[in-house]
Amino acid sequence: MTVQHHLTLDDLTDDTLGTLKAIGVDYVAIMHPPPPRAGEDRSGLWRDACRKVDAHGMKLYNVGLRPERHIIHGRAGRDEGIEGWCTMIRNLGAAGIPTLGYNFRGIGNFRTEPTIGRGGARYSTFDGDEFRANPQDHPELRISDERLRENLGTFVERIVPVAEESGVLLTAHPDDPPIAEPLGGAARVLSTLDDFETLFGLAPSEANAMLFCQGCVAEMGEDIPAAIRRIGSLGKIGTVHFRNIRGGLGKFQEVFVDEGDMDMYLAMRTYREIGFDGPFMLDHTPGIASEGARWAGTAYAIGYIRAMIQAVFR
């Protein structure tokens, strides 16, 4: 079993990669590279990135980014934008990068004021009551449920066959927070496990899967072992964000991996039970304010994940 961590292209330095290798990372994910462009061959860029990671005894396993707004909102330039994604998927396949993560949100994440937790760490927080007392509105990004689902269908129907041909697994991340009602004027269409089963049906293929974010699934109000079995029985868990929260539907804190409401050992045992063999990823962890603590939270979470893997899979 493997541990994955994300970087940007600019972070692919010997110092950073050496640190990741030292603290127990196996796979690297590149997040938010430049938006793809139709016909623009970047396979050389991805091969170079793979060589940098390989030189430190790790593998570049994933790329993650969000489609641009003209794709999500179905505006002028959408078809060319989707063709850019098809080009990128072909480039990743040619470079030997096997997974591509994405989300499909009319507007990005929503949070309320952070809360303070263990050791003064700041916890990313969402409080539905607080949010409704100070609602956000983005008139230029309003989109209906029907329209957003239609745009998602157009997107996956175009890119899934290309991914299948290129040997690339597509993993969709849940909405965050996963609240199945409009926020800021935009619908949310990947906020329930039913939404994901609908997504799988839009373009049936082994290449069409889920990035199973434990935190977001718990935020849906789901029982985590039952949810792992439900999506795992479909063979649709591509990557796991192995993180913990305190709270649930409509109100939660993103806490350190060992102090939330989830039984993380039971979760790891359930992944073994369903035969999951993909990477585990911390996603993100609370920020530690202490001077010189840049890697502390990351190293702590990665060590915890490795310990769980060793306890359950060996």
Side-chain angles (χ1 to χ4, degrees):
M1 305 307 298
T2 51
V3 178
Q4 181 170 284
H5 189 60
H6 56 77
L7 301 172
T8 67
L9 281 170
D10 290 340
D11 288 330
L12 290 183
T13 65
D14 289 337
D15 182 65
T16 298
L17 292 170
T19 299
L20 291 185
K21 180 64 177 178
I23 62 177
V25 171
D26 306 293
Y27 290 166
V28 170
I30 298 298
M31 300 301 292
H32 309 301
R37 296 288 179 254
E40 185 175 341
D41 186 353
R42 295 178 181 167
S43 54
L45 178 151
W46 293 117
R47 288 192 179 98
D48 287 345
C50 286
R51 282 192 286 269
K52 288 181 182 179
V53 176
D54 289 347
H56 288 269
M58 297 177 290
K59 178 178 175 60
L60 179 47
Y61 196 82
N62 179 69
V63 172
L65 73 165
R66 179 184 303 166
E68 293 176 281
R69 284 179 176 167
H70 54 266
I71 295 175
I72 293 174
H73 287 264
R75 296 173 179 170
R78 176 184 66 179
D79 290 344
E80 184 178 359
I82 295 176
E83 186 54 41
W85 274 69
C86 293
T87 299
M88 177 180 63
I89 291 166
R90 295 185 184 102
N91 288 173
L92 297 183
I97 300 172
T99 62
L100 172 62
Y102 70 96
N103 60 59
F104 208 85
R105 300 171 192 156
I107 304 175
N109 297 357
F110 289 88
R111 290 293 185 269
T112 51
E113 284 298 309
T115 49
I116 304 302
R118 195 166 75 191
R122 292 167 66 86
Y123 294 165
S124 177
T125 299
F126 182 81
D127 184 322
D129 292 337
E130 182 181 330
F131 183 84
R132 284 186 287 274
N134 298 281
Q136 300 181 29
D137 186 30
H138 302 270
E140 76 285 2
L141 297 176
R142 289 177 184 163
I143 187 167
S144 68
D145 184 275
E146 181 181 13
R147 180 65 170 152
L148 189 56
R149 289 184 188 278
E150 179 183 331
N151 293 343
L152 175 60
T154 298
F155 181 64
V156 298
E157 287 164 10
R158 289 272 300 278
I159 67 171
V160 166
V162 177
E164 195 170 50
E165 294 167 4
S166 303
V168 174
L169 179 68
L170 302 172
T171 59
H173 191 288
D175 295 329
D176 191 0
I179 295 175
E181 62 185 56
L183 295 179
R188 317 280 281 179
V189 297
L190 290 175
S191 289
T192 68
L193 296 186
D194 286 346
D195 286 341
F196 276 90
E197 294 209 28
T198 298
L199 171 68
F200 305 147
L202 291 173
S205 169
E206 291 184 359
N208 183 11
M210 179 181 184
L211 198 171
F212 192 92
C213 178
Q214 270 191 203
C216 287
V217 174
E219 291 160 19
M220 295 174 188
E222 294 282 351
D223 174 76
I224 290 301
I228 294 169
R229 294 185 184 100
R230 176 177 172 180
I231 303 300
S233 69
L234 303 174
K236 293 296 186 180
I237 299 180
T239 304
V240 171
H241 279 170
F242 195 74
R243 66 178 180 88
N244 211 338
I245 68 161
R246 184 180 295 140
L249 185 64
K251 186 174 182 178
F252 59 84
Q253 298 169 304
E254 298 182 357
V255 298
F256 287 105
V257 66
D258 65 312
E259 63 168 347
D261 295 337
M262 281 179 265
D263 183 333
M264 302 300 272
Y265 179 65
L266 176 59
M268 189 65 78
R269 286 173 52 198
T270 309
Y271 289 115
R272 178 175 179 174
E273 172 191 316
I274 66 165
F276 176 70
D277 62 358
F280 292 93
M281 200 173 172
L282 69 92
D283 187 26
H284 45 79
T285 192
I288 299 175
S290 305
E291 194 173 332
R294 177 189 173 201
W295 287 104
T298 298
Y300 181 82
I302 287 171
Y304 184 97
I305 294 170
R306 290 202 71 86
M308 283 288 175
I309 289 172
Q310 291 175 359
V312 171
F313 284 88
R314 295 185 179 178

